[in-house]
Amino acid sequence: MILSISGVVLLGIVVFIFFRKDGLKGSHAVICALFGFYLASTAIAPSIKAGGASLASLLGGIKI
């Protein structure tokens, strides 16, 4: 649960930066959000979630 909330916050910050700096239009952001919403209800959603969890564990294992 914490990972998904952190991911949402991180992606929200990235979208905000794109919106402010790179000229992302509001309509593009809405379309991307809708695409993600509908993608979450497809059969590929568990694979995407597993890939995100794998990436998070990989990044979490890096020792600095």
Side-chain angles (χ1 to χ4, degrees):
M1 180 67 168
I2 295 204
L3 175 65
S4 64
I5 292 173
S6 299
V8 167
V9 170
L10 177 65
L11 290 174
I13 291 170
V14 169
V15 168
F16 179 75
I17 290 171
F18 283 164
F19 184 72
R20 296 290 290 171
K21 301 279 183 188
D22 293 336
L24 178 72
K25 295 182 179 169
S27 61
H28 296 154
V30 169
I31 289 170
C32 288
L34 288 172
F35 176 69
F37 178 76
Y38 287 118
L39 186 63
S41 65
T42 64
I44 198 170
S47 299
I48 295 171
K49 187 174 182 179
S54 175
L55 180 63
S57 70
L58 177 72
L59 293 176
I62 295 175
K63 302 214 185 234
I64 298 175

